[in-house]
Amino acid sequence: WRVELRCPAGPAATPLTPDPVDPTHVARPRAGWYAGDFHLHAYQSNTNGPAPADMVKFARAAGLDIIPVTEYVTPAHWDRLGATQRANPDVLIWPGREVITYFGHMIVLSETTGVEYRVGHDGVTIGDIQRAAAKDGALVSIAHPTIFPPDTFGSACRGCFYQMLDQTDWASTTMMEVVTEGALAEFGGKDVANPFVRTAIALWEQELRAGHRLTAVSGSDDKTGEKYGKTSTMVFAQQLSRPAVDEALRRGHAYVRGLGKASPTMDLTATTQTGTTAMFGDTLVADAATMKVTVNGGTGDLLTVRRNGTEVERVPITSDPFVHETAITRSADEGPLGTFWGAEVLDTTKAPGSELAVDVANPVFLADTARPEPVLPHFVKPAADKSAPTPASVAKSSGFRWTSSWTAAVIVAALFALVGGTYGLVSSRRRRRNPPT
């Protein structure tokens, strides 16, 4: 190939003055549920894509609080988003990128340094890329893992299907995208059930059984903004900041809304006989517990309970809110992580003849031992405050109460920033006897 570059005469370009996002920015200093679309593109991926300010407008219209900017390959946007974050202090703009290879794609959240893309070049594997990204403090997510398998669809979406399970470094991989675009897909001008949702969920549950702890998330993969938030992930974080959301995702404190803000909302907790309580993603050191699932806005849908990736119970949702309790126990078919119990909300009306997974819960685990503490990036400090609110207390509270612990957290963060030390915001969680992890 011959490549010829022609540069017409003209005035020299003004050098770019880098203006990155502050990774410790606190958009809202209170615990709660925050909505994110963890696979978004904009101008750097598509010349018809939105500029940063317009990207925020689309995200707000979709009800998003967390706005990852995961452009293809390039980090060019990292030095251009600071002003947009300052102009929109109540949302969280999170730079990242999509690593695309001929054998699979990944979302890498956070600014990284030496991330390679050429799988196979000089022996580079996808695991090498994942380790490098994780070492830089990034969250690694496998994007649309089962979409357009090449045996059936050829090169319709070249490299989109994830073919590198055997090379994957699961210890460096935090998330897997189980809904891409949305539970509904467009075909022939009509909305149909997205055929790749169920296959992605099956792969995610397969890897959980194998002992790979992955948080289920979703992403619209939209390039122009109109479909931002068509699917979203609800994250329970101690505040709306990158450190707090990062920690929550590593802990699995999240569930997927397959239709974005059009999906029902849900809550899932499990409580042992001694009163120890866990939520989405947590592990209980126990042989049995009671799992409670609460669904709001789901009347007419179906609630299913899943054990180790198999549906074991199905009940119609007949009220709003709808509360269902079920006894959960360890089982002989559990994997290295123990027995995991999850739930889904299914819609049977929007695509006749199909069951849409409009809510997908990250499960709770029953195991012999507590989950090891997740390895957090340098700017994320582990929670330590007994007064941290829980999802239930947030739901009951009409407002945020500023406590001494939060004041201390802000003062500590300000001091660290002032002296140029390690960035850190102290998020908090409740300590209990035999606490879930």
Side-chain angles (χ1 to χ4, degrees), residues 69-397:
V69 189
T70 56
E71 303 282 38
Y72 289 122
V73 181
T74 182
H77 51 296
W78 296 353
D79 288 334
R80 293 169 165 82
L81 293 172
T84 306
Q85 177 68 91
R86 291 191 297 275
N88 297 275
D90 60 322
V91 298
L92 183 65
I93 298 175
W94 196 340
R97 54 182 160 181
E98 182 173 5
V99 175
I100 55 174
T101 80
Y102 287 123
F103 312 103
H105 295 184
M106 295 183 302
I107 298 299
V108 175
L109 275 178
S110 193
E111 304 88 344
T112 54
T113 53
V115 174
E116 176 65 79
Y117 292 85
R118 297 169 295 174
V119 170
H121 175 70
D122 286 345
V124 171
T125 68
I126 197 70
D128 294 330
I129 299 174
Q130 291 159 338
R131 281 186 290 273
K135 185 178 179 180
D136 270 353
L139 284 172
V140 177
S141 176
I142 296 176
H144 42 64
T146 62
I147 198 169
F148 296 115
D151 290 347
T152 303
F153 293 91
S155 59
C157 189
R158 191 174 185 184
C160 290
F161 187 82
Y162 193 82
Q163 303 178 60
M164 298 173 286
L165 296 174
D166 59 335
Q167 296 182 22
T168 298
D169 187 309
W170 295 107
S172 301
T173 305
T174 304
M175 303 181 293
M176 180 177 287
E177 196 175 287
V178 300
V179 180
T180 304
E181 184 180 338
L184 284 174
E186 294 181 10
F187 182 76
K190 297 181 179 180
D191 284 335
V192 299
N194 185 336
F196 305 115
V197 171
R198 185 50 59 190
T199 54
I201 291 173
L203 177 60
W204 166 61
E205 292 174 330
Q206 168 190 302
E207 298 308 326
L208 289 179
R209 288 192 298 272
H212 306 140
R213 190 181 287 270
L214 299 166
T215 299
V217 296
S218 65
S220 66
D221 197 7
D222 187 51
K223 316 297 189 297
T224 58
E226 290 87 351
K227 296 180 181 178
Y228 281 12
K230 188 177 178 182
T231 180
S232 61
T233 304
M234 300 301 297
V235 182
F236 186 80
Q238 293 303 319
Q239 60 184 10
L240 184 55
S241 69
R242 193 192 303 188
V245 175
D246 181 295
E247 181 175 358
L249 288 168
R250 293 176 192 272
R251 294 186 182 280
H253 292 176
Y255 69 94
V256 169
R257 300 177 78 183
L259 298 176
K261 65 180 182 180
S263 288
T265 60
M266 74 184 309
D267 192 20
L268 183 151
T269 58
T271 306
T272 66
Q273 289 186 342
T274 61
T276 303
T277 300
M279 66 174 296
F280 300 93
D282 285 340
T283 295
L284 286 170
V285 181
D287 292 329
T290 299
M291 187 170 78
K292 177 181 176 181
V293 182
T294 303
V295 180
N296 290 279
T299 303
D301 293 339
L302 298 171
L303 174 67
T304 67
V305 176
R306 300 176 69 81
R307 182 188 65 219
N308 294 332
T310 299
E311 182 182 316
V312 295
E313 188 178 5
R314 174 177 289 221
V315 294
I317 298 175
T318 56
S319 62
D320 190 12
F322 179 77
V323 180
H324 180 69
E325 294 188 359
T326 188
I328 62 174
T329 60
R330 302 277 295 277
S331 63
D333 63 341
E334 69 178 29
L337 299 177
T339 300
F340 61 90
W341 289 82
E344 293 180 3
V345 176
L346 305 178
D347 179 285
T348 60
T349 62
K350 292 182 175 62
S354 301
E355 295 179 343
L356 301 182
V358 292
D359 281 345
V360 180
N362 279 286
V364 293
F365 299 79
L366 302 179
D368 287 329
T369 58
R371 176 189 178 181
E373 286 293 303
V375 177
L376 305 177
H378 65 88
F379 57 79
V380 179
K381 299 298 182 183
D385 186 5
K386 295 180 180 179
S387 64
T390 63
S393 66
V394 169
K396 292 178 181 177
S397 174

Side-chain angles (χ1 to χ4, degrees), residues 408-428:
V410 173
I411 292 173
V412 169
L415 288 174
F416 271 111
L418 187 62
V419 301
T422 303
Y423 288 125
L425 290 175
V426 181
S427 59
S428 55

